[in-house]
Amino acid sequence: MYHILIIDDEKAIRRALREILEFEDYEVSEATDGKDAIEKIKQQVFDLIFCDIKMPKMDGIEFLEKSKEFNTAPIVMFSGHGTIETAVESLKHGAVDYVEKPLDLNRILAVVKEQVAKSKQNISLPKPIKRTKTPTNTTQQTTIIGQSAQVKQMLAMIERVAPTDAKVLITGENGTGKELVAKMLFEKSLRNKNPFVEVNCAAIPNELIESELFGHEKGSFTSAVAKQKGKFQLADTGTLFLDEIGDMSLNTQSKVLTAIQEKKIQPVGSEKDIRVDVRIISATNKNLREEIESGRFREDLYHRINVIEIKVPSLQERKDDIPLLVDHFLTLISTDNNSERLTIEPSAVKFLQDYDYTGNIRQLRNIIERLTILCDKTITLSDVKSYL
């Protein structure tokens, strides 16, 4: 099980992070400051560490330095006193990411997902499953599993919209598969031989997102040691997928709106415009109309990105697809683990079909993976009730 260490002197923050991470089936440990954390990493191996910067006894930057002798896990820093200099300082000392307080739990989960994906890529896999390294712009096709009316309607919409250059907004709850919809739109588009570039807007610090999107010139800020292209430029002639766009700051929204309207960008530290030709696909788990009313999202940007809206149904809305999804995940997980495929009793499938899911398809996949690890050959109803 993926093991995460949370280091923060505030008990409420540790508790909030623990609850959301344990709900997603991660194992969580806590440390109250840098010194406490050093003792823990001496005794135990962690897969990921979240660390506050301002702490008594030993602060986060000092912990970053001292932990190098004992720790190989990626470290994500967070602070309520953040500036771009703070973020850069953290990254210079070895942190892999930086998150501002107050913490956005959606962004925390996005960061964890990204680090889990990276850790899996670093595992040596048997030759039959090297397909995981296939680039996104090859002919490998994305598949969406399901025969329910909701899924069929969504797939019909994808078929109709994909060949056009229309901007698409994909909406739906966390864990429903919005990223798969975006990839399918790209694969069926006329741009499918060109780049597909994904940006998780919730996983990039506000201080760095403009550089990430638009690029920067050498010397434009402290750690800009070389000129760098942004995602808009990298996606030129292809597709740019702005995932979790509802988490983007108002200032960045304004610049993204300008880039979409004028089809040109200006890198950080540059006065020169660069023409770009990209198709924009966006996704969010938030109600953007409510965000507009609350002043957190620009209405003009909403209308720019929402030419076509594709709503991804929750698992609660497509329970008829659960037997198909269970079968798919059993095959997929056995292949990924290079292990024998387990069977499952019909009564166990029926129980899973009647269960109420708050984490959607992601939660169902986690359940099947857990059962695959803990059960022998056949998954029974008793197994499901015990390990759910």
Side-chain angles (χ1 to χ4, degrees):
M1 183 177 285
Y2 201 80
H3 196 169
I4 300 171
L5 175 64
I6 302 166
I7 313 169
D8 199 300
D9 57 319
E10 295 184 55
K11 185 177 180 180
I13 289 178
R14 297 199 307 272
R15 184 174 65 248
L17 287 175
R18 173 184 281 276
E19 287 175 357
I20 189 70
L21 292 170
E22 287 185 338
F23 179 79
E24 294 289 332
D25 289 330
Y26 299 113
E27 185 178 354
V28 180
S29 296
E30 299 178 20
T32 55
D33 54 57
K35 282 190 175 181
D36 184 21
I38 289 291
E39 293 306 311
K40 282 185 166 57
I41 64 174
K42 285 180 179 179
Q43 301 168 15
Q44 193 168 4
V45 175
F46 295 95
D47 299 295
L48 176 63
I49 297 173
F50 284 101
C51 181
D52 191 20
I53 289 182
K54 299 292 183 183
M55 294 183 295
K57 297 183 181 178
M58 183 188 294
D59 67 20
I61 300 297
E62 189 178 355
F63 168 76
L64 269 173
E65 284 298 317
K66 291 186 180 289
S67 66
K68 291 175 181 177
E69 183 180 348
F70 313 103
N71 173 62
T72 57
I75 301 175
V76 177
M77 306 300 290
F78 45 74
S79 174
H81 312 278
T83 63
I84 190 166
E85 287 77 17
T86 311
V88 169
E89 185 72 10
S90 299
L91 298 174
K92 282 172 64 177
H93 282 82
V96 297
D97 209 338
Y98 175 86
V99 182
E100 278 187 291
K101 288 182 177 179
L103 298 176
D104 182 332
L105 297 182
N106 282 327
R107 174 143 191 260
I108 293 293
L109 289 177
V111 170
V112 175
K113 179 182 175 183
E114 181 183 19
Q115 294 304 320
V116 169
K118 286 181 179 178
S119 70
K120 287 182 178 178
Q121 288 173 1
N122 290 332
I123 297 173
S124 297
L125 297 173
K127 287 184 179 180
I129 20 181
K130 282 188 177 178
R131 69 187 190 289
T132 53
K133 295 184 179 180
T134 304
T136 52
N137 61 345
T138 68
T139 56
Q140 182 181 356
Q141 294 296 301
T142 298
T143 303
I144 293 178
I145 306 297
Q147 291 293 324
S148 62
Q150 293 88 340
V151 169
K152 286 181 178 179
Q153 184 179 4
M154 182 181 71
L155 291 174
M157 177 72 83
I158 291 171
E159 291 287 344
R160 189 175 185 89
V161 173
T164 74
D165 250 2
K167 299 172 186 65
V168 180
L169 175 63
I170 306 167
T171 60
E173 298 174 7
N174 276 336
T176 51
K178 297 187 291 296
E179 183 180 351
L180 291 180
V181 174
K183 287 181 178 177
M184 185 172 281
L185 283 166
F186 165 71
E187 289 167 4
K188 294 178 178 293
S189 75
L190 301 179
R191 296 173 178 254
N192 61 10
K193 303 299 182 186
N194 299 329
F196 177 80
V197 178
E198 180 178 354
V199 181
N200 190 323
C201 302
I204 303 170
N206 287 333
E207 299 86 356
L208 302 178
I209 193 166
E210 287 184 29
S211 170
E212 189 76 13
L213 290 173
F214 309 120
H216 61 251
E217 294 294 322
K218 180 179 178 180
S220 54
F221 52 87
T222 308
S223 63
V225 295
K227 182 177 180 178
Q228 179 176 302
K229 290 183 178 181
K231 302 298 188 185
F232 268 87
Q233 198 172 354
L234 292 172
D236 192 31
T237 72
T239 301
L240 180 63
F241 176 40
L242 299 174
D243 197 8
E244 303 299 353
I245 194 170
D247 293 276
M248 188 181 285
S249 70
L250 285 168
N251 183 54
T252 305
Q253 288 175 37
S254 174
K255 295 184 179 181
V256 167
L257 175 63
T258 301
I260 294 173
Q261 287 180 159
E262 300 181 7
K263 296 185 177 181
K264 60 185 180 183
I265 59 167
Q266 191 173 96
V268 177
S270 173
E271 296 181 357
K272 180 182 177 182
D273 290 333
I274 298 173
R275 302 291 300 181
V276 288
D277 169 27
V278 297
R279 183 190 190 179
I280 301 292
I281 298 175
S282 308
T284 183
N285 65 341
K286 295 184 176 180
N287 185 324
L288 291 187
R289 292 188 181 276
E290 290 180 358
E291 295 295 299
I292 290 167
E293 291 175 6
S294 302
R296 292 188 293 266
F297 201 84
R298 293 180 62 110
E299 187 171 9
D300 47 5
L301 177 58
Y302 172 75
H303 291 301
R304 278 287 175 181
I305 63 175
N306 189 22
V307 176
I308 300 291
E309 180 175 349
I310 296 179
K311 184 182 182 299
V312 185
S314 68
L315 195 53
Q316 295 295 111
E317 297 173 292
R318 48 176 295 206
K319 285 197 166 185
D320 290 348
D321 290 329
I322 287 178
L324 290 172
L325 289 164
V326 168
D327 184 72
H328 172 71
F329 288 141
L330 284 171
T331 300
L332 186 66
I333 291 164
S334 66
T335 302
D336 285 349
N337 293 335
N338 200 27
S339 60
E340 182 181 354
R341 186 190 186 280
L342 273 63
T343 58
I344 184 167
E345 291 182 349
S347 58
V349 176
K350 181 65 169 62
F351 188 89
L352 289 170
Q353 196 168 7
D354 293 337
Y355 187 73
D356 289 332
Y357 296 89
T358 56
N360 291 295
I361 295 174
R362 183 185 298 145
Q363 183 183 5
L364 176 62
R365 190 195 189 287
N366 287 345
I367 290 169
I368 299 302
E369 185 169 10
R370 186 186 311 131
L371 290 166
T372 300
I373 293 168
L374 298 175
C375 299
D376 296 320
K377 294 189 176 180
T378 300
I379 300 169
T380 67
L381 175 60
S382 176
D383 291 329
V384 173
K385 289 180 178 180
S386 297
Y387 301 128
L388 197 61

